[in-house]
Amino acid sequence: MARNIVVTLGDSESTFSITKLDRKKLYGARKRQALDDTGESCQRASLTQDGRYLLVPGMTAQGYYNEAGTWIPSADIQGVDLEGNPIEKLPSTLGKPQALTKVGPKDVLDLRVGSVYQLEATEVDDALKAALSAGDMFSLPLGHRAGFERDTAILLENPNGLFLLTGKPTPPEWVEPAAAVVIADDEEDDDLDDLDFEMF
Amino acid sequence: MREIKVANAEGRDGTVGFVALSHKPKHKMAGPAGESVKNKRFLATTDQGLHDALSAKYGEDYGQALIDADPEVNIEEVGRAIGTTDTVYLAASGEVLHAPPKLVELIFGTDGAERERRDPVDTPANITGEYPLRFTKHRMKRKDVVKKFAFARTVQLRHSDGLSYDFLFNMAKELDASDSCVLIGADKSGRGAVVFQQNGSPYRAFLEGRVDGERYQLLLHLSNMELKLPEVTA
């Protein structure tokens, strides 16, 4: 189902509908299937190491536990920053205006792309249309639903159409040079005749 | 640090380290008093609480039975944390297979229809084998490559000593100066896709370099998807 994103460049708003793209739609798919002796498909399951439970899909769920091993209901779970201070949940960005920031190719290369969307322009400001056609790329925050952290999205255009790449930034760290090995440079010690072999 | 064998533009090869770049979250989850919590898998129901068992016992319309008596909840078992598990396969009859199943590879078209069944062929990793990953003749400006491919992963190459520092720094410097990425090829042909682990996803890899004084970043950007639209079938 197509959903809308609303972006602002300067004071002007533009709206796009977004539809998810994936490899299956572009190239098809390949998967390995296990068959039993009769040629029928097998079901994948998990066996706990104590042999107590044979787990098939639908039998398990995820939950939060404290250090004492007590389950904490999801409604009581909160988000905190890395210093432990509570943080507010951010609302979904869909349908709400999000400011565009112009970015360069390195910013796009630093994004670990999780999803790709094709965009249909519903209502696009002329300035944004011209900037995208000229090759400019823009970033905006994206949250499909409320959460403690948003994805980064990149809006760009190529000859095939308009695309939105979403994911998390993974900026690389600089690699420092290896410490140079110190070369002995003792003026009093540059005579090969003085090399001591008796010590061996 | 894992190793990767790579050759420079002159065809000199070397084995260097690499790390996968990952996102560092700026938040974590906590309990109501701010205490740290861990996400764990737990038993939500036993096999007697699944649809097949419930419909066999109460009929297809068992909604009211769930409301009246919670038959899907086994209070002695539900909520137990699930630790490490082993993968097993169940035959169509529901029995656990005690011998490895036969594997087939199914090929699906873009319309989702099955096109072919064939015996699976194992794809070995090719980042440390006989042939180094090497430059191809295909170079693209950074601004062009980001509009042609979606990069799902990036690995950063790192040196382990002075020689490998010079090797990687010079590659990064040359690529940075040209503001371009070079397509890296694998295998004997030098054109193969890069596979990091046995039967792992094959990726097209583009090497990009950045330098800042004596510091460098040499990045292998990995893509398995072009930025294009699906073909429209009539």
Side-chain angles (χ1 to χ4, degrees), chain B residues 140 145 149 151 181-183 204-208 219-221:
Chain B
M140 294 177 78
V145 80
F149 306 99
F151 293 102
C181 300
V182 61
L183 176 66
R204 289 293 170 197
F206 287 85
L207 193 65
E208 185 217 354
L219 308 165
L220 199 56
H221 301 291

Side-chain angles (χ1 to χ4, degrees), chain B residues 122-134:
Chain B
D122 284 337
T123 310
N126 58 13
I127 58 168
T128 53
E130 182 181 356
Y131 304 102
L133 305 185
R134 66 202 105 145

Side-chain angles (χ1 to χ4, degrees), chain B residues 24-40:
Chain B
K24 295 171 181 65
K26 296 186 178 75
H27 80 284
K28 56 187 179 181
M29 309 310 283
E35 72 272 30
S36 61
V37 293
K38 282 189 178 164
N39 190 268
K40 289 183 181 173

Side-chain angles (χ1 to χ4, degrees), chain B residues 64-80:
Chain B
Q64 193 58 45
L66 297 185
I67 294 167
D68 293 341
D70 294 330
E72 80 282 17
V73 180
N74 180 338
I75 206 145
E76 296 293 322
E77 306 288 347
V78 164
R80 285 184 193 277

Side-chain angles (χ1 to χ4, degrees), chain B residues 165-179:
Chain B
Y165 165 78
D166 290 343
F167 181 62
L168 297 183
F169 178 83
N170 289 331
M171 268 196 266
K173 188 176 175 185
E174 189 265 317
L175 288 167
D176 196 23
S178 66
D179 188 27

Side-chain angles (χ1 to χ4, degrees), chain A residues 21-50 52-67 69 71-72 76-84 87 105-114 116 118 120 132 134-137 148-149 156-163 165 168-178, chain B residues 21-47 50 77 79-82 84-93 96-97 101-110 117-118 120-122 142-143 145-148 150-154 156-159 161-162 165 176 181 199 202 208 210-212 214-217 219 221 224-230:
Chain A
L21 275 178
D22 59 25
R23 279 186 47 82
K24 283 182 194 169
K25 288 182 183 172
L26 295 180
Y27 311 110
R30 198 168 59 147
K31 93 168 184 183
R32 289 191 175 188
Q33 177 71 56
L35 304 177
D36 65 16
D37 291 342
T38 64
E40 294 288 320
S41 296
C42 293
Q43 184 181 20
R44 197 179 162 111
S46 303
L47 185 66
T48 55
Q49 290 207 322
D50 59 5
R52 184 166 181 170
Y53 302 110
L54 181 62
L55 305 167
V56 297
M59 285 177 64
T60 62
Q62 300 273 340
Y64 287 102
Y65 291 77
N66 63 18
E67 284 180 8
W71 173 70
I72 312 282
D76 294 340
I77 291 291
Q78 60 172 332
V80 295
D81 63 20
L82 298 183
E83 283 74 47
I87 54 174
K106 287 181 189 172
D107 299 303
V108 185
L109 287 167
D110 286 349
L111 186 75
R112 182 178 178 144
V113 176
V116 178
Q118 69 180 88
E120 290 292 333
L132 288 168
D136 288 351
M137 298 176 287
F148 293 105
E149 210 169 319
L156 60 83
E157 183 176 359
N158 72 11
N160 296 320
L162 285 162
F163 296 91
L165 315 180
K168 301 283 189 197
T170 57
E173 292 176 356
W174 287 104
V175 182
E176 302 284 344
Chain B
L21 296 184
S22 60
H23 173 68
K24 295 171 181 65
K26 296 186 178 75
H27 80 284
K28 56 187 179 181
M29 309 310 283
E35 72 272 30
S36 61
V37 293
K38 282 189 178 164
N39 190 268
K40 289 183 181 173
R41 194 157 65 125
F42 66 87
L43 191 73
T45 186
T46 64
D47 54 354
L50 295 176
E77 306 288 347
R80 285 184 193 277
I82 301 294
T84 310
T85 58
D86 294 312
T87 297
V88 294
Y89 288 96
L90 307 181
S93 62
V96 175
L97 293 189
K102 175 180 166 53
L103 291 175
V104 291
E105 194 166 73
L106 310 180
I107 310 296
F108 298 92
T110 52
R117 281 184 180 226
R118 63 190 184 197
V121 178
D122 284 337
R142 287 184 179 112
K143 67 181 175 60
V145 80
V146 297
K147 290 190 174 179
K148 203 163 168 55
F151 293 102
R153 285 181 66 194
T154 296
Q156 182 171 19
L157 274 52
R158 288 169 176 264
H159 64 269
D161 54 29
Y165 165 78
D176 196 23
C181 300
N199 293 329
E208 185 217 354
R210 304 172 191 177
V211 294
D212 174 39
E214 292 188 315
R215 305 187 300 172
Y216 72 96
Q217 295 171 343
L219 308 165
H221 301 291
N224 61 4
M225 186 172 163
E226 299 157 281
L227 294 179
K228 64 180 188 179
L229 301 180

